[in-house]
Amino acid sequence: MSKRFKTIIVDDEYPARLMMKELISKHLDLIEVIGEAENGKSAIKLINSLKPDLIFLDIQMPDMEAFTMLLKLNHKPMVVFTTAYEQYAIKAFEEHAVDYLLKPIEDARFDKCIVKLRHFVNATPQVIDFNSLKQFFDHLQPKKMITAIPIKIKDKIILVRLSKISYLLAEQGYVIIYTDNGEKFLTELTLSELEDKLPSNFLRVQRSYIINTEKILEINRYFNNRLIILMNDSNDTKIISGTTYINQIRLALDL
């Protein structure tokens, strides 16, 4: 008998879990359901305890984001994502998960997922970088569109237009905004706060830098799978990407 994947179904909707078990029932030679969870907290406990080979995971969890849940796991199973929202059916899941399934799941589409799973029966278990996956997700979320960053200087507030910004640098507890003409402005906002507020053309490329991708002049390969990003500003700024951000950068810039 060939290997069967010990599997846990994670979905907050009982009918959805029932439907998934019905789909799986046609492939019991490959999949053995050993448990199910209706929220992130119970899923973490169950997965760490039972150590499944595979989980079917609904992205829209009631108590926590699915990616936050994954980062809290001690045991790292393979993942098939399920979602009712097509906006989440993105390239990131193809690269960092076994598969994604759009609800309502059709038999023919589930059969394709099964074909993928069969390739893993005798293969080395897939190692998924859940941190990179969460970064992908965060980057692709709709953001509030701002057009400028307010900067307080003595008794006045000036607005630094995003179209003029080359990059932002976190340094010694502060964040400095650098414009394309070489001006510098100090902001009280943290880099993470700015990352949440800035539009999609602003990209975190390492722990200390967010760049304006519209100001990129050139990109060159660097050692250890990193990149040297040359900015189109008055200082010809060169920024070296962080290793943990490389997948996010490649997706955002379609490299």
Side-chain angles (χ1 to χ4, degrees):
M1 183 178 177
S2 61
K3 173 184 174 180
R4 289 203 297 170
F5 292 105
K6 293 181 179 179
T7 302
I8 289 175
I9 300 168
V10 183
D11 198 304
D12 63 309
E13 297 181 355
Y14 175 73
R17 299 198 304 274
L18 199 62
M19 177 59 70
M20 182 59 69
K21 286 189 287 186
E22 175 64 25
L23 290 166
I24 289 172
S25 69
K26 302 171 186 177
H27 305 279
L28 295 180
D29 65 313
L30 182 68
I31 300 174
E32 177 189 1
V33 178
I34 60 172
E36 53 185 277
E38 62 182 5
N39 56 52
K41 185 176 180 180
S42 60
I44 292 169
K45 184 176 180 180
L46 199 61
I47 292 167
N48 285 337
S49 173
L50 299 182
K51 296 179 172 52
D53 305 303
L54 170 71
I55 60 173
F56 286 90
L57 175 61
D58 181 28
I59 295 172
Q60 292 78 37
M61 301 294 291
D63 57 340
M64 69 178 72
E65 184 183 282
F67 306 101
T68 300
M69 186 213 84
L70 290 171
L71 289 172
K72 293 179 180 291
L73 294 176
N74 296 323
H75 174 71
K76 308 293 185 182
M78 294 190 297
V79 182
V80 173
F81 287 102
T82 63
T83 174
Y85 299 95
E86 196 165 3
Q87 71 186 66
Y88 296 118
I90 58 174
K91 182 180 177 182
F93 298 144
E94 293 178 338
E95 295 183 355
H96 291 269
V98 174
D99 205 354
Y100 64 84
L101 299 170
L102 187 62
K103 296 178 182 177
I105 304 167
E106 298 178 354
D107 287 0
R109 180 63 184 86
F110 190 75
D111 289 344
K112 289 182 179 180
C113 177
I114 292 297
V115 170
K116 283 188 177 183
L117 285 170
R118 291 193 186 280
H119 289 303
F120 290 101
V121 170
N122 297 313
T124 302
Q126 186 188 39
V127 177
I128 301 171
D129 187 344
F130 292 142
N131 186 58
S132 291
L133 188 58
K134 188 178 189 306
Q135 289 175 14
F136 275 126
F137 176 78
D138 290 343
H139 176 68
L140 290 164
Q141 290 303 289
K143 295 179 180 178
K144 294 179 181 178
M145 295 299 292
I146 62 170
T147 59
I149 299 174
I151 302 295
K152 186 176 181 181
I153 300 178
K154 294 183 179 179
D155 295 329
K156 65 180 179 180
I157 295 175
I158 66 169
L159 296 176
V160 181
R161 299 295 171 186
L162 300 189
S163 59
K164 295 293 185 181
I165 296 175
S166 177
Y167 64 96
L168 303 98
L169 169 64
E171 191 174 51
Q172 297 180 345
Y174 296 95
V175 173
I176 307 169
I177 299 170
Y178 288 83
T179 65
D180 51 12
N181 63 2
E183 289 184 291
K184 297 192 296 184
F185 300 92
L186 199 65
T187 174
E188 296 177 355
L189 296 170
T190 67
L191 211 59
S192 294
E193 288 171 336
L194 286 162
E195 189 176 17
D196 289 337
K197 294 175 180 292
L198 292 168
S200 60
N201 58 297
F202 282 83
L203 178 65
R204 190 83 169 254
V205 295
Q206 61 149 284
R207 186 174 61 181
S208 301
Y209 283 90
I210 292 176
I211 67 168
N212 182 353
T213 58
E214 294 178 354
K215 301 291 184 181
I216 295 176
L217 180 64
E218 186 178 293
I219 298 175
N220 295 291
R221 296 176 186 271
Y222 195 52
F223 74 90
N224 199 21
N225 199 34
R226 291 182 291 172
L227 301 169
I228 298 177
I229 303 169
L230 176 62
M231 304 304 295
N232 188 16
D233 57 24
S234 60
N235 294 321
D236 296 322
T237 305
K238 291 182 180 179
I239 297 171
I240 299 174
S241 69
T243 53
T244 59
Y245 292 88
I246 189 63
N247 288 329
Q248 181 179 345
I249 295 168
R250 291 187 185 281
L251 179 68
L253 301 180
D254 198 24
L255 299 178

